[in-house]
Amino acid sequence: MLDNNNDSNQRHSRVQSNYKRQKNGHNIIKWVIGILVAVILITTFMGYRYYSTSLQPLDAKSNKQIEINIPVGTTSRGVGSILEDKHVVKSGAVFNYYTKSKKINNFQAGYYVLKPSMTLKQIAKKLEKGGAAEPIALNGPRVLIKEGENIDQIANSMKSSKYFKKSDFLKLMKDEDFIKSLAKQYPKLLGSAMKAQNVRYRLEGYLFPASYAIDKNTKLKDVVTQMVAKEDAVLQPYYSKIKSDGLTVQETLSVASLVEMEGSKSSDRSKIAGVFLNRIKQGETLGSDVSTRYAVKKSATEDLTQSDLASTNPYNTRVNTGFMPGPVDNPGEDSILSVVNADTKDGYLFFFAVTKNVSGSKHKVGDVLFYKDITSFNEAVAKYNPEGK
């Protein structure tokens, strides 16, 4: 009996020992699994955070300009590596993934000036348009064409460059032989402009707003050619859409030049373009003071008189119906796209900007309001824009 009890105790001891080992083993497995799960969660979180931050500008507050060169034949992965090496983006790999996910892969070779404050979308769009054939003199003299400037205003910028005379620039804007030579180079861009009647300047609207490098050896014709070439590059993706919409490039840029000065927010511009196109379809005048000021040669700070509003100048859309002879300034890409993607579906025929805050109203100063009928429009103007500005 004693021996049997001893054997029983030993067996019981072994069972307890095995149970403890199994329990410890299970605890170790649970502990290891817990660590692995934690590592996976932390890694996933850090990866997601890295990806999210890499989608944002590298330095949103930076105004630093960085020149990069994309050689011919560079892959999307290679472009990403160049951007990361030049400290334009945080991660070249994320840039490569982003562009592939958005099906952006038509990058052009050339020299570009980029900023760490640009988004991946902005960088990708710029790389699709094509760069300069030669290195860009970042710190050298430049001619800046601002969005919404007309040719007379650009002439002043030319004068301030110290390399060109205002009179020479304006003379070139009337040089039909030079303009015809440009039309041969860029027939899709300038074809309709060459057919236009009663235009003040045939190249008005076709000098793309940007910064152009110059030096003492730069020829005036070469600078203007760069501006026109840039305009053509921007419009290349949209020529077929413009044609299918039943518009010419001249008509598109004419409306875009009004939108440039009438709308400050991108969200409003396509609706404003839609209003102008809807009014043309209805046989109404465009009624834009922007064109009237161009017609009578008055700046935005000068008041228009009744005589100005009644001017028979072909650019005065207060009197004349249909499109203007041509653009009244040089619009930026956002305004051009607003016409290409004009929002006409709601049938709006009127708009104005709020200049007076009204108690209890959801509208505030700067908002642009749209209307289909003249009665509602006039009532709203009396309430939110009593001075008619």
Side-chain angles (χ1 to χ4, degrees), residues 71-95:
V72 175
T74 305
T75 63
S76 178
R77 185 183 297 274
V79 171
S81 296
I82 292 172
L83 294 174
E84 183 177 348
D85 291 342
K86 288 289 188 177
H87 304 292
V88 176
V89 301
K90 181 176 181 178
S91 169
V94 171
F95 177 83

Side-chain angles (χ1 to χ4, degrees), residues 106-369:
N106 190 29
F107 297 140
Q108 304 296 313
Y111 291 88
Y112 297 84
V113 176
L114 304 173
K115 296 180 181 180
S117 58
M118 297 173 71
T119 64
L120 299 193
K121 181 179 180 180
Q122 289 173 326
I123 293 170
K125 286 183 68 176
K126 193 162 187 176
L127 294 176
E128 280 191 310
K129 292 176 184 176
E134 301 293 337
I136 302 167
L138 288 177
N139 299 318
R142 308 181 72 82
V143 171
L144 175 64
I145 308 303
K146 297 179 182 178
E147 294 177 346
E149 283 190 331
N150 59 42
I151 280 179
D152 288 320
Q153 292 168 324
I154 293 173
N156 292 325
S157 298
M158 288 293 182
K159 178 182 177 182
S160 64
S161 71
K162 299 181 181 179
Y163 291 119
F164 308 117
K165 294 180 180 179
K166 178 178 179 178
S167 58
D168 289 341
F169 175 74
L170 292 176
K171 182 179 179 180
L172 187 61
M173 292 299 100
K174 295 288 188 178
D175 188 332
E176 287 295 320
D177 289 336
F178 171 64
I179 296 171
K180 286 178 182 177
S181 70
L182 290 175
K184 288 182 180 179
Q185 293 181 66
Y186 308 103
K188 288 186 178 180
L189 177 69
L190 292 170
S192 55
M194 299 306 292
K195 299 175 184 177
Q197 301 294 318
N198 301 315
V199 292
R200 182 175 298 171
Y201 296 110
R202 204 166 291 281
L203 292 181
E204 188 81 87
Y206 294 86
L207 306 182
F208 191 79
S211 179
Y212 299 91
I214 59 173
D215 59 37
K216 62 181 180 180
N217 297 317
T218 303
K219 296 179 180 179
L220 184 56
K221 286 185 177 182
D222 292 338
V223 178
V224 173
T225 300
Q226 283 186 57
M227 297 174 185
V228 174
K230 181 67 174 176
E231 186 84 26
D232 181 66
V234 169
L235 282 170
Q236 277 291 341
Y238 313 115
Y239 283 136
S240 59
K241 176 67 164 55
I242 291 171
K243 185 177 181 179
S244 67
D245 287 342
L247 298 174
T248 66
V249 173
Q250 182 82 342
E251 290 168 345
T252 299
L253 292 179
S254 293
V255 175
S257 69
L258 297 181
V259 174
E260 183 66 54
M261 305 305 289
E262 295 277 16
S264 58
K265 297 179 183 177
S266 297
S267 57
D268 293 329
R269 289 180 174 178
S270 62
K271 285 187 176 181
I272 291 174
V275 168
F276 287 134
L277 293 178
N278 284 337
R279 290 181 69 86
I280 287 173
K281 289 179 182 178
Q282 295 285 338
E284 301 282 348
T285 62
L286 294 180
S288 173
D289 286 349
V290 175
S291 63
T292 303
R293 292 183 186 282
Y294 188 83
V296 298
K297 298 185 178 181
K298 280 191 173 181
S299 70
T301 59
E302 296 177 276
D303 292 330
L304 292 172
T305 65
Q306 288 300 317
S307 175
D308 294 333
L309 297 175
S311 168
T312 57
N313 185 288
Y315 281 97
N316 183 13
T317 59
R318 286 278 191 165
V319 173
N320 302 293
T321 58
F323 293 96
M324 304 171 292
V328 295
D329 58 55
N330 292 272
E333 184 174 5
D334 195 22
S335 293
I336 295 171
L337 287 181
S338 74
V339 183
V340 174
N341 301 314
D343 183 356
T344 60
K345 63 182 182 296
D346 292 318
Y348 292 126
L349 294 172
F350 308 92
F351 72 91
F352 72 93
V354 174
T355 61
K356 176 186 176 183
N357 286 322
V358 177
S359 178
S361 172
K362 64 180 180 180
H363 304 304
K364 59 183 183 297
V365 172
D367 287 348
V368 178
L369 308 184

Side-chain angles (χ1 to χ4, degrees), residues 47-111:
Y48 175 76
R49 185 177 180 183
Y50 180 80
Y51 175 76
S52 298
T53 56
S54 296
L55 289 174
Q56 304 302 315
L58 181 63
D59 185 353
K61 297 181 179 180
S62 174
N63 288 319
K64 183 178 180 182
Q65 292 182 315
I66 300 173
E67 181 180 277
I68 68 164
N69 176 34
I70 304 298
V72 175
T74 305
T75 63
S76 178
R77 185 183 297 274
V79 171
S81 296
I82 292 172
L83 294 174
E84 183 177 348
D85 291 342
K86 288 289 188 177
H87 304 292
V88 176
V89 301
K90 181 176 181 178
S91 169
V94 171
F95 177 83
N96 181 46
Y97 175 80
Y98 171 82
T99 55
K100 284 186 176 180
S101 67
K102 300 295 183 180
K103 297 182 180 179
I104 304 172
N105 52 23
N106 190 29
F107 297 140
Q108 304 296 313
Y111 291 88

Side-chain angles (χ1 to χ4, degrees), residues 3-13:
D3 289 339
N4 288 337
N5 287 337
N6 188 49
D7 288 343
S8 177
N9 290 335
Q10 288 178 350
R11 285 195 300 271
H12 181 69
S13 177

